[in-house]
Coordinates of all heavy atoms in Angstrom, one line a residue:
M1 N 155.9 90.1 99.9 CA 154.8 90.2 100.7 C 154.7 89.2 101.9 O 155.3 88.2 101.7 CB 153.4 90.0 99.9 CG 153.1 91.2 99.0 SD 151.6 90.9 98.1 CE 152.1 89.7 97.0
P2 N 154.2 89.6 103.0 CA 154.4 88.8 104.1 C 153.3 87.6 104.1 O 152.3 87.7 103.3 CB 154.0 89.7 105.3 CG 153.2 90.8 104.7 CD 153.7 90.9 103.3
I3 N 153.6 86.6 104.8 CA 152.6 85.4 104.8 C 151.9 85.5 106.1 O 152.3 85.7 107.3 CB 153.4 84.1 104.8 CG1 154.3 84.0 103.6 CG2 152.5 83.0 105.0 CD1 155.1 82.8 103.6
F4 N 150.5 85.4 105.9 CA 149.6 85.4 107.1 C 149.0 84.1 107.2 O 148.8 83.4 106.3 CB 148.5 86.6 107.0 CG 149.1 87.9 106.9 CD1 149.3 88.5 105.7 CD2 149.5 88.5 108.0 CE1 149.8 89.8 105.7 CE2 150.0 89.8 108.0 CZ 150.2 90.4 106.8
E5 N 148.7 83.7 108.5 CA 148.1 82.4 108.8 C 146.6 82.6 109.1 O 146.3 83.6 109.9 CB 148.7 81.8 110.0 CG 150.2 81.4 109.7 CD 150.8 80.6 110.9 OE1 150.4 80.9 112.0 OE2 151.6 79.7 110.7
Y6 N 145.8 81.7 108.6 CA 144.3 81.8 108.7 C 143.8 80.5 109.2 O 144.4 79.5 109.0 CB 143.6 82.2 107.5 CG 144.0 83.6 106.9 CD1 145.1 83.8 106.2 CD2 143.3 84.8 107.2 CE1 145.5 85.0 105.7 CE2 143.7 85.9 106.9 CZ 144.8 86.1 106.1 OH 145.1 87.3 105.6
R7 N 142.6 80.6 109.9 CA 142.0 79.3 110.3 C 140.6 79.4 109.9 O 139.9 80.4 110.1 CB 142.2 79.3 111.8 CG 141.5 78.1 112.4 CD 141.6 78.0 113.9 NE 140.7 77.0 114.5 CZ 139.4 77.1 114.8 NH1 138.9 78.3 114.5 NH2 138.7 76.2 115.3
C8 N 140.1 78.3 109.4 CA 138.7 78.3 108.9 C 137.8 77.7 110.1 O 138.1 76.6 110.5 CB 138.6 77.4 107.6 SG 136.9 77.2 107.1
P9 N 136.8 78.4 110.6 CA 136.1 77.9 111.6 C 135.0 76.8 111.1 O 134.4 76.1 111.9 CB 135.2 79.0 112.1 CG 135.2 80.0 110.9 CD 136.5 79.7 110.0
D10 N 134.9 76.7 109.8 CA 133.9 75.7 109.2 C 134.5 74.3 109.2 O 133.9 73.4 109.5 CB 133.5 76.2 107.9 CG 132.6 77.3 108.0 OD1 132.0 77.6 109.1 OD2 132.3 78.1 107.0
C11 N 135.7 74.2 108.6 CA 136.4 72.9 108.5 C 137.6 72.7 109.4 O 138.3 71.7 109.3 CB 136.8 72.8 107.0 SG 138.0 73.8 106.4
Q12 N 137.9 73.8 110.2 CA 138.9 73.6 111.3 C 140.3 73.5 110.5 O 141.2 73.1 111.2 CB 138.7 72.5 112.2 CG 137.3 72.4 112.9 CD 137.0 73.7 113.6 OE1 137.8 74.2 114.3 NE2 135.8 74.3 113.5
Q13 N 140.4 73.9 109.4 CA 141.7 73.8 108.7 C 142.5 75.1 108.8 O 141.9 76.2 108.9 CB 141.5 73.5 107.2 CG 140.9 72.1 107.0 CD 141.8 71.0 107.4 OE1 143.1 71.0 107.2 NE2 141.3 69.9 108.0
E14 N 143.8 75.0 108.9 CA 144.6 76.2 108.9 C 145.4 76.2 107.5 O 145.8 75.3 107.1 CB 145.5 76.1 110.1 CG 144.7 76.2 111.4 CD 145.8 76.1 112.6 OE1 147.0 75.9 112.3 OE2 145.3 76.1 113.8
F15 N 145.6 77.5 107.1 CA 146.3 77.6 105.9 C 147.0 79.0 105.8 O 146.7 79.9 106.7 CB 145.4 77.5 104.7 CG 144.2 78.4 104.7 CD1 144.1 79.7 104.1 CD2 143.0 78.1 105.4 CE1 143.1 80.6 104.1 CE2 141.9 79.0 105.5 CZ 142.0 80.1 104.8
D16 N 147.9 79.1 104.9 CA 148.7 80.3 104.8 C 148.3 81.1 103.6 O 147.9 80.5 102.6 CB 150.2 80.1 104.8 CG 150.7 79.3 106.1 OD1 150.0 79.6 107.1 OD2 151.6 78.5 105.9
E17 N 148.4 82.4 103.7 CA 148.1 83.2 102.5 C 149.1 84.3 102.4 O 149.6 85.0 103.4 CB 146.8 83.9 102.6 CG 145.6 83.0 102.2 CD 145.5 82.8 100.7 OE1 145.8 83.8 99.9 OE2 145.2 81.7 100.2
I18 N 149.7 84.4 101.2 CA 150.6 85.5 100.9 C 149.9 86.6 100.3 O 149.3 86.5 99.3 CB 151.7 85.1 100.0 CG1 152.6 83.9 100.6 CG2 152.6 86.3 99.7 CD1 153.6 83.3 99.6
R19 N 149.9 87.8 101.1 CA 149.0 88.9 100.6 C 149.7 90.2 101.2 O 150.3 90.2 102.1 CB 147.6 88.7 101.0 CG 147.5 88.4 102.5 CD 146.1 88.1 103.0 NE 145.0 88.3 101.9 CZ 143.7 88.4 102.2 NH1 143.3 88.5 103.4 NH2 142.9 88.4 101.2
P20 N 149.3 91.3 100.6 CA 149.7 92.6 101.1 C 149.4 92.8 102.5 O 148.3 92.3 102.9 CB 149.2 93.6 100.2 CG 148.7 92.9 98.9 CD 148.4 91.5 99.4
F21 N 150.2 93.5 103.3 CA 150.0 93.7 104.6 C 148.7 94.4 104.9 O 148.0 94.2 105.8 CB 151.1 94.5 105.2 CG 151.1 94.5 106.7 CD1 151.6 93.5 107.5 CD2 150.6 95.7 107.4 CE1 151.6 93.6 108.9 CE2 150.7 95.7 108.8 CZ 151.2 94.7 109.5
A22 N 148.4 95.4 104.0 CA 147.2 96.1 104.1 C 145.9 95.3 104.0 O 144.8 95.7 104.4 CB 147.1 97.3 103.1
D23 N 146.0 94.1 103.4 CA 144.8 93.3 103.1 C 144.8 92.1 104.0 O 144.1 91.2 103.8 CB 144.9 92.7 101.7 CG 144.7 93.9 100.6 OD1 144.2 94.9 101.0 OD2 145.0 93.7 99.5
R24 N 145.6 92.3 105.2 CA 145.6 91.1 106.0 C 144.3 90.7 106.7 O 144.1 89.5 107.0 CB 146.7 91.3 107.2 CG 146.4 92.5 108.1 CD 147.5 92.9 108.9 NE 147.2 93.9 109.9 CZ 147.1 95.2 109.6 NH1 147.3 95.6 108.3 NH2 146.9 96.1 110.5
D25 N 143.5 91.6 106.9 CA 142.2 91.4 107.6 C 141.0 91.3 106.6 O 140.0 91.1 107.0 CB 141.9 92.5 108.6 CG 142.7 92.4 109.8 OD1 143.1 91.2 110.2 OD2 143.1 93.4 110.4
E26 N 141.3 91.4 105.3 CA 140.3 91.1 104.3 C 140.0 89.6 104.3 O 140.7 88.8 104.6 CB 140.8 91.5 103.0 CG 141.0 93.0 102.8 CD 139.8 93.7 102.9 OE1 138.7 93.4 102.3 OE2 139.7 94.8 103.7
P27 N 138.6 89.3 104.1 CA 138.2 87.9 104.1 C 138.9 87.1 102.9 O 139.1 87.7 101.8 CB 136.8 88.0 103.8 CG 136.5 89.4 103.2 CD 137.6 90.2 103.8
V28 N 139.3 85.9 103.3 CA 140.0 85.1 102.3 C 139.3 83.8 102.2 O 138.8 83.3 103.2 CB 141.4 84.9 102.7 CG1 141.6 84.3 104.1 CG2 142.2 84.0 101.7
S29 N 139.1 83.3 101.0 CA 138.4 82.1 100.8 C 139.2 80.8 101.3 O 140.5 80.7 101.1 CB 138.2 81.8 99.3 OG 137.3 82.9 98.9
C30 N 138.6 79.9 102.1 CA 139.3 78.8 102.5 C 139.6 77.8 101.4 O 138.7 77.5 100.6 CB 138.4 78.1 103.6 SG 139.1 76.5 104.1
P31 N 140.8 77.4 101.3 CA 141.2 76.5 100.1 C 140.6 75.1 100.3 O 140.6 74.3 99.3 CB 142.7 76.5 100.1 CG 143.0 76.7 101.5 CD 142.0 77.7 102.1
H32 N 140.0 74.8 101.4 CA 139.5 73.4 101.7 C 138.0 73.3 101.5 O 137.5 72.3 100.9 CB 139.9 73.1 103.1 CG 141.4 73.1 103.4 ND1 142.3 72.0 103.1 CD2 142.1 74.0 104.0 CE1 143.5 72.3 103.5 NE2 143.4 73.5 104.0
C33 N 137.3 74.3 101.9 CA 135.9 74.3 101.9 C 135.2 75.5 101.2 O 134.1 75.5 100.9 CB 135.2 74.0 103.2 SG 135.3 75.5 104.3
G34 N 136.1 76.5 100.9 CA 135.6 77.7 100.2 C 134.9 78.7 101.0 O 134.4 79.7 100.6
S35 N 134.9 78.4 102.4 CA 134.2 79.3 103.3 C 135.0 80.7 103.3 O 136.3 80.6 103.2 CB 134.1 78.8 104.6 OG 133.7 79.8 105.6
R36 N 134.4 81.7 103.5 CA 135.0 83.1 103.6 C 134.9 83.6 105.0 O 135.1 84.8 105.3 CB 134.3 84.1 102.6 CG 134.6 83.7 101.2 CD 134.1 84.7 100.1 NE 134.6 86.0 100.4 CZ 135.7 86.5 99.7 NH1 136.3 85.7 98.9 NH2 136.1 87.6 99.8
R37 N 134.7 82.7 106.0 CA 134.7 83.1 107.3 C 136.0 82.9 108.1 O 136.0 82.9 109.2 CB 133.6 82.4 108.0 CG 132.1 82.7 107.4 CD 131.1 82.3 108.5 NE 131.3 80.9 108.9 CZ 130.7 80.5 110.0 NH1 130.0 81.3 110.8 NH2 130.8 79.2 110.3
S38 N 137.0 82.7 107.3 CA 138.3 82.4 107.9 C 138.8 83.6 108.8 O 138.5 84.7 108.5 CB 139.4 82.1 106.8 OG 139.5 83.1 106.0
E39 N 139.5 83.2 109.8 CA 140.0 84.1 110.8 C 141.5 84.2 110.8 O 142.1 83.1 110.7 CB 139.5 83.8 112.1 CG 138.0 83.7 112.4 CD 137.5 83.1 113.7 OE1 138.4 82.4 114.2 OE2 136.4 83.3 114.0
R40 N 142.0 85.4 110.8 CA 143.4 85.4 110.8 C 144.0 85.1 112.1 O 143.5 85.6 113.2 CB 143.9 86.9 110.4 CG 145.4 87.0 110.2 CD 145.8 88.4 109.6 NE 145.2 89.5 110.3 CZ 146.0 90.0 111.4 NH1 147.2 89.6 111.7 NH2 145.5 91.0 112.1
K41 N 145.0 84.3 112.1 CA 145.7 83.9 113.4 C 146.6 85.0 113.7 O 147.1 85.8 113.0 CB 146.4 82.6 113.2 CG 145.5 81.4 112.9 CD 146.3 80.2 112.7 CE 147.2 79.9 113.9 NZ 148.0 78.6 113.8
I42 N 146.9 85.0 115.1 CA 147.8 86.0 115.6 C 149.2 85.6 115.2 O 149.7 84.5 115.5 CB 147.8 86.2 117.1 CG1 146.3 86.6 117.5 CG2 148.8 87.2 117.6 CD1 145.9 87.9 116.9
S43 N 149.9 86.4 114.5 CA 151.2 86.0 114.0 C 152.2 87.0 114.7 O 151.9 87.7 115.7 CB 151.3 86.1 112.4 OG 151.1 87.5 112.1
L44 N 153.4 86.9 114.2 CA 154.5 87.7 114.8 C 154.2 89.2 114.6 O 154.5 90.0 115.4 CB 155.8 87.4 114.2 CG 156.3 85.9 114.5 CD1 157.7 85.8 113.7 CD2 156.6 85.8 116.0
F45 N 153.4 89.4 113.6 CA 153.1 90.9 113.3 C 152.2 91.4 114.4 O 151.2 90.8 114.6 CB 152.6 91.1 111.8 CG 153.5 90.7 110.9 CD1 153.5 89.5 110.2 CD2 154.5 91.6 110.4 CE1 154.4 89.1 109.2 CE2 155.4 91.3 109.4 CZ 155.4 90.0 108.8
G46 N 152.5 92.5 115.0 CA 151.6 93.2 115.8 C 151.7 92.7 117.3 O 151.1 93.2 118.2
T47 N 152.4 91.6 117.5 CA 152.5 91.1 118.8 C 153.8 91.5 119.6 O 153.9 91.5 120.8 CB 152.5 89.5 118.8 OG1 153.5 89.1 118.0 CG2 151.1 89.0 118.3
T48 N 154.7 91.9 118.8 CA 156.1 92.3 119.4 C 155.9 93.7 119.9 O 156.6 94.1 120.9 CB 157.2 92.2 118.5 OG1 156.9 92.9 117.3 CG2 157.4 90.7 118.1
G49 N 155.2 94.5 119.3 CA 155.0 95.9 119.7 C 156.1 96.9 119.4 O 156.2 98.0 119.9
W50 N 156.9 96.4 118.5 CA 158.1 97.3 118.1 C 157.6 98.4 117.1 O 158.3 99.3 117.0 CB 159.1 96.5 117.4 CG 158.8 95.6 116.3 CD1 158.4 94.3 116.4 CD2 158.5 96.0 114.9 NE1 158.0 93.9 115.1 CE2 158.1 94.9 114.2 CE3 158.7 97.2 114.2 CZ2 157.8 94.9 112.9 CZ3 158.4 97.3 112.9 CH2 158.0 96.1 112.2
S51 N 156.4 98.2 116.5 CA 156.0 99.2 115.6 C 155.1 100.3 116.2 O 154.7 101.3 115.6 CB 155.2 98.5 114.5 OG 154.1 97.9 115.0
S52 N 154.7 100.1 117.5 CA 153.8 101.1 118.1 C 154.5 101.6 119.3 O 155.1 100.9 120.2 CB 152.5 100.5 118.4 OG 152.7 99.4 119.4
G53 N 154.4 102.9 119.5 CA 154.8 103.5 120.8 C 156.4 103.3 120.9 O 156.9 102.9 121.9
G54 N 157.1 103.7 119.9 CA 158.6 103.5 119.9 C 159.2 104.5 120.8 O 158.6 105.1 121.7
G55 N 160.4 104.8 120.6 CA 161.1 105.7 121.4 C 162.3 105.1 122.1 O 163.3 105.7 122.4
S56 N 162.3 103.8 122.4 CA 163.4 103.1 123.0 C 163.9 102.0 122.0 O 164.0 100.9 122.4 CB 163.0 102.4 124.3 OG 162.0 101.4 124.0
A57 N 164.4 102.5 120.9 CA 164.9 101.6 119.9 C 166.2 101.2 120.4 O 167.1 102.0 120.9 CB 165.0 102.3 118.5
P58 N 166.6 99.9 120.3 CA 167.9 99.4 120.7 C 169.0 100.0 119.9 O 169.1 99.5 118.6 CB 167.8 97.9 120.5 CG 166.7 97.7 119.6 CD 165.8 98.8 119.8
S59 N 169.8 100.9 120.4 CA 170.8 101.3 119.6 C 172.2 100.9 120.2 O 172.2 100.4 121.3 CB 170.8 102.9 119.6 OG 170.8 103.4 120.9
S60 N 173.2 101.2 119.5 CA 174.5 100.8 120.0 C 174.9 101.6 121.1 O 175.5 102.7 120.9 CB 175.6 100.9 118.9 OG 175.6 102.1 118.4
S61 N 174.6 101.2 122.3 CA 174.9 102.0 123.6 C 176.4 102.0 123.9 O 177.0 102.9 124.3 CB 174.1 101.5 124.7 OG 174.4 100.1 124.9
C62 N 177.1 100.9 123.6 CA 178.4 100.8 123.8 C 179.3 101.2 122.6 O 179.2 100.6 121.6 CB 178.9 99.3 124.3 SG 178.4 98.1 123.1
G63 N 180.0 102.2 122.8 CA 180.6 102.8 121.6 C 181.9 102.0 121.2 O 182.2 102.0 120.0
G64 N 182.5 101.4 122.1 CA 183.7 100.6 121.8 C 183.6 99.3 121.2 O 183.7 98.3 121.8
H65 N 183.2 99.3 119.9 CA 183.0 97.9 119.2 C 184.4 97.4 118.7 O 185.3 98.2 118.6 CB 182.1 98.1 118.1 CG 182.5 99.0 116.9 ND1 182.3 100.4 117.1 CD2 183.2 98.8 115.9 CE1 182.8 100.9 115.9 NE2 183.4 100.0 115.3
G66 N 184.5 96.1 118.6 CA 185.7 95.6 118.2 C 186.6 95.3 119.4 O 187.8 95.2 119.3
G67 N 186.2 95.2 120.6 CA 186.9 95.0 121.8 C 187.5 93.5 121.9 O 188.3 93.3 122.7
F68 N 187.0 92.7 121.1 CA 187.4 91.2 121.1 C 188.8 91.1 120.6 O 189.5 90.2 121.0 CB 186.4 90.4 120.4 CG 185.2 90.0 121.1 CD1 184.0 90.6 121.0 CD2 185.3 89.1 122.2 CE1 182.9 90.3 121.7 CE2 184.2 88.6 123.0 CZ 183.0 89.3 122.7
T69 N 189.2 91.9 119.8 CA 190.5 91.9 119.2 C 191.5 92.7 120.1 O 192.4 92.3 120.5 CB 190.6 92.4 117.8 OG1 190.2 93.7 117.7 CG2 189.7 91.5 116.9
Ligands
ZN101 ZN1 137.3 75.6 105.4

C-alpha cells in the first residue's frame, strides 16, 4: 500500500499513513493530538499526470537497441 503524508492543522504536525489508495482522502486521526481534521499533503501521486489523459506513453522510439556494443 502507498504511503500518504498528512498534516494536522491543530498541532501543525506532519505524519505519514500507510493506507489503501482508495482511502487516501478519508479522515485520519492525528497521532499527536487525536484530531481528525488532518489534511492530506500533495504527494507524488496525482501531480505527475501520467495517470490521466494518456496517449503519449514513452515507448521505445529507437528500435536499434544495443548500439553501444
Ligand atoms: Zn494533531
Side-chain angles (χ1 to χ4, degrees):
M1 284 186 287
I3 298 177
F4 296 101
E5 292 184 329
Y6 296 86
R7 176 182 170 277
C8 177
D10 289 343
C11 65
Q12 310 299 319
Q13 294 293 321
E14 298 179 355
F15 54 95
D16 299 330
E17 277 286 321
I18 300 177
R19 50 185 0 202
F21 190 81
D23 293 343
R24 63 192 183 281
D25 285 328
E26 292 295 313
V28 57
S29 298
C30 172
H32 301 279
C33 70
S35 173
R36 292 180 65 86
R37 298 197 307 157
S38 56
E39 303 168 340
R40 184 170 60 89
K41 295 177 59 180
I42 301 299
S43 63
L44 294 178
F45 295 98
T47 57
T48 54
W50 52 264
S51 60
S52 62
S56 61
S59 59
S60 59
S61 55
C62 55
H65 62 276
F68 278 100
T69 59

